[in-house]
Amino acid sequence: DVVLTQSPLSLPVTLGQPASISCKSSQSLVDSNGNTYLHWFQQRPGQSPRRLIYKVSNRDSGVPDRFSGSGSGTDFTLKISRVEAEDVGVYYCTQGSHWPPWTFGQGTKVEI
Amino acid sequence: EVQLVESGGRLVQPGESLRLSCEASGFTFSTYWMQWVRQAPGKGLVWVSHINSDGSSTTYADSVRGRFTISRDNAKNTLYLQMNSLRAEDTATYYCVRDNWGIDYWGQGTLVTVSS
């Protein structure tokens, strides 16, 4: 099974400042067709998860452009260019390149 | 607008059974793979099961294989999760999710509590 390791697990942030979350995979997430199915989700307190980024670096519709994703192979990063109060929550990376199982990182709690 | 609405979660005793449902709308349900993902209280996200678009292929997490069964009724736009021999460690919010070359949309979740 693919293991996704996020760091840090807790991220205190300052409003208006940048923030970065790492997601490292136990194996390359490039599938047999050359696609990399690494996605990022945000879960605000009391809400269901919401996808922010799909296939490493593609922002979902309605996601502010302060969110960006990057990486390749086994190392991936989610960046928030300027943290806003509504960004508080838990962020998860997930992979769908090698399934089953689909796997998630442990989650990173972002708090002001 | 894509909507996924789960139902069926409640308090049950260990060893009992429960069936969760997920009504889908806003997209052509019969053309998408679907999954169940769960989240124990205060914990992270864990994949439970997947089913392909016509229901002919299913997969399960090791922790639920042999006890849970995923199914779908494309005529009713509904996904199901039959949960048998429930254990305390199955206590979680269960989310119905759409798989569009990766999970995209999530339901609001339904809480299953297994306790005596």
Side-chain angles (χ1 to χ4, degrees), chain B:
Chain B
E1 178 193 5
V2 172
Q3 287 202 326
L4 300 167
V5 180
E6 302 95 334
S7 61
R10 61 179 176 89
L11 172 64
V12 296
Q13 294 194 341
E16 291 189 343
S17 298
L18 200 59
R19 189 176 83 157
L20 306 182
S21 300
C22 169
E23 292 191 30
S25 61
F27 64 103
T28 307
F29 179 72
S30 61
T31 64
Y32 285 86
W33 290 15
M34 298 293 295
Q35 301 188 18
W36 288 97
V37 175
R38 69 184 181 184
Q39 185 171 37
K43 302 297 185 181
L45 302 169
V46 177
W47 172 75
V48 173
S49 181
H50 118 277
I51 187 167
N52 69 347
S53 56
D54 67 4
S56 62
S57 176
T58 59
T59 58
Y60 299 92
D62 289 345
S63 59
V64 307
R65 187 177 297 114
R67 300 188 298 124
F68 290 11
T69 302
I70 190 172
S71 62
R72 64 192 297 162
D73 185 335
N74 285 342
K76 295 183 178 179
N77 290 342
T78 302
L79 176 72
Y80 302 101
L81 186 67
Q82 177 67 41
M83 310 164 69
N84 298 332
S85 303
L86 282 161
R87 305 166 179 169
E89 54 265 36
D90 295 319
T91 294
T93 296
Y94 285 74
Y95 294 101
C96 163
V97 302
R98 190 177 79 167
D99 184 344
N100 182 21
W101 292 104
I103 295 171
D104 55 4
Y105 288 95
W106 299 64
Q108 86 288 348
T110 187
L111 178 61
V112 174
T113 303
V114 184
S115 175
S116 55

Side-chain angles (χ1 to χ4, degrees), chain A residues 90-110:
Chain A
V90 181
Y91 291 78
Y92 296 91
C93 57
T94 183
Q95 70 82 27
S97 293
H98 306 296
W99 56 268
W102 285 258
T103 52
F104 295 87
Q106 319 97 299
T108 295
K109 187 173 185 179
V110 172

